[in-house]
Amino acid sequence: MDRTRAGARIALLALLWGSTFLWIEVALEALAPVQVTFARCLLGSVTLLAVCLGSGRRLPRGRQVWGSVVLAAFFCNALPFALFSFGQQSIDSGIAGVLNATTPLWSVLMGAVTGSERGPRPSRVAGLLIGFAGVVLISAPWQATGAGGRGALAVVGAACSYAVGFLIMGRLVGRGIPTISLSAAQLLAATALTAPTLVAGGLAPVDITPGQLVAVAVLGVVATGVTFHLTYRNIAAEGATSTATVGYLLPVVSVALGVVVLHEDFGVRIALGMAVVLAGVALTRLPPRAPAPAPAAPPAPDADPTGSPRPNARPPQPPCPDHRRPNAGRPKPGPAPEERDVRP
């Protein structure tokens, strides 16, 4: 039952997270990259704050906790959101989702460096490498040049930043703080971090259509607020590295939405790459093998399997004396009795 719930949460998270790149692409038609970044942080934080306060929860307290929250907000929200908005100015939304699928690889590598991922299973390592090969096949970096190359590099940087943020979030969930409180606090901190960036081209007047406004609202409320809380829930349930493997499902969602909604290119190479990615995901989700039971000790020769002595078992014998020593086994003579004087 737990694995079924975890699988459903992973699928929902992949669907919502994978649609993010579509909403960013539409929002960039009316807003500058810094405006898109700030808007999604603001709308996401307002959504989660309303849920947090409405459920009777409080924001976390303590300087140390908030220090970790701000650090996670920078690596998991402010920095990658800005890099995605910048990168998608020159690459398609489907390709952005594919490149973001490198997050699990960076997560495992960083987890091994920091010690949070010790001895990853061979199936997981194989799945990560196969999935990464599928990502390379879809993105075709040998074809990226100019602005497209810089955009792809920005999205890969965002994926790497996500991996760092997941590790910090993984340590936050172990402190007994409700995930809704943590997610609301982190997006609130991300809003404060991204607000100063509006000075760099984000204060210009905005001419936005109703459709683009809806895209911005969905991006902030659903693809950022709801998705981010689900991410925290999954980290608390399965760990940061397992949550990062959701990134390998994003190409399927992002490419499909890009083709259907935005009429982006789709060919045999992309289809083959998506199949390879799904194979890698399947390997990373395999449960660990149960340890083999230890072999039972053989019964003693003079006892039956139930442990009872056999009827014809010989009684224990005293130890044999060592014939190599002449006095072995003999009692050691005591002192000679004192001789009496018998003289008259």
Side-chain angles (χ1 to χ4, degrees), residues 21-22 27 43 47 81 87 96 100 128-129 214-215 225 239 245 264 273 302-303 317 333:
F21 310 99
L22 168 66
L43 293 174
T47 302
F81 289 179
N100 184 60
L128 290 169
L129 294 177
V214 170
T245 59
E264 295 175 350
D302 291 335
Q317 302 293 326

Side-chain angles (χ1 to χ4, degrees), residues 272-287:
L272 181 60
M274 290 172 64
V276 175
V277 165
L278 288 176
V281 173
L283 284 175
T284 60
R285 300 297 299 171
L286 286 178

Side-chain angles (χ1 to χ4, degrees), residues 135-160:
V135 168
V136 172
L137 184 60
I138 296 175
S139 60
W142 55 86
Q143 296 180 358
T145 57
R150 290 192 297 270
L153 186 61
V155 174
V156 171
C160 185

Side-chain angles (χ1 to χ4, degrees), residues 320-329:
C320 296
D322 191 352
H323 297 287
R324 291 175 297 180
R325 293 181 297 172
N327 295 328

Side-chain angles (χ1 to χ4, degrees), residues 17-22 25 84 88 91-104 135 138-139 155 159 246-255 264 277:
W17 196 354
S19 69
T20 301
F21 310 99
L22 168 66
E25 195 80 14
F84 280 127
Q88 284 192 236
I91 63 175
D92 291 340
S93 64
I95 299 302
V98 170
L99 294 177
N100 184 60
T102 58
T103 297
V135 168
I138 296 175
S139 60
V155 174
V246 179
Y248 273 161
L249 292 174
L250 301 188
V252 180
V253 179
S254 63
V255 171
E264 295 175 350
V277 165

Side-chain angles (χ1 to χ4, degrees), residues 14-198:
L15 178 62
L16 296 180
W17 196 354
S19 69
T20 301
F21 310 99
L22 168 66
W23 307 121
I24 292 176
E25 195 80 14
V26 177
L28 285 172
E29 296 175 359
L31 303 179
V34 291
Q35 291 173 328
V36 173
T37 303
F38 175 74
R40 65 182 299 195
C41 289
L42 177 63
L43 293 174
S45 63
V46 169
T47 302
L48 294 185
L49 277 174
V51 176
C52 180
L53 299 179
S55 60
R57 305 287 187 179
R58 292 184 176 182
L59 293 178
R61 297 180 180 181
R63 182 179 301 177
Q64 186 177 7
V65 173
W66 272 98
S68 298
V69 166
V70 171
L71 195 61
F74 175 77
F75 283 106
C76 202
N77 303 112
L79 180 59
F81 289 179
L83 291 174
F84 280 127
S85 298
F86 171 78
Q88 284 192 236
Q89 289 183 306
S90 55
I91 63 175
D92 291 340
S93 64
I95 299 302
V98 170
L99 294 177
N100 184 60
T102 58
T103 297
L105 180 62
W106 306 121
S107 183
V108 170
L109 292 177
M110 293 178 184
V113 171
T114 60
S116 61
E117 178 77 9
R118 298 181 179 179
R121 302 190 303 272
S123 61
R124 170 167 287 186
V125 174
L128 290 169
L129 294 177
I130 291 173
F132 183 75
V135 168
V136 172
L137 184 60
I138 296 175
S139 60
W142 55 86
Q143 296 180 358
T145 57
R150 290 192 297 270
L153 186 61
V155 174
V156 171
C160 185
S161 183
Y162 267 147
V164 178
F166 284 166
L167 290 177
I168 301 172
M169 290 163 63
R171 296 175 181 176
L172 279 170
V173 296
R175 302 187 181 186
I177 305 172
T179 54
I180 185 63
S181 301
L182 287 173
S183 54
Q186 188 166 323
L187 280 183
L188 186 63
T191 304
L193 290 173
T194 55
T197 63
L198 292 175

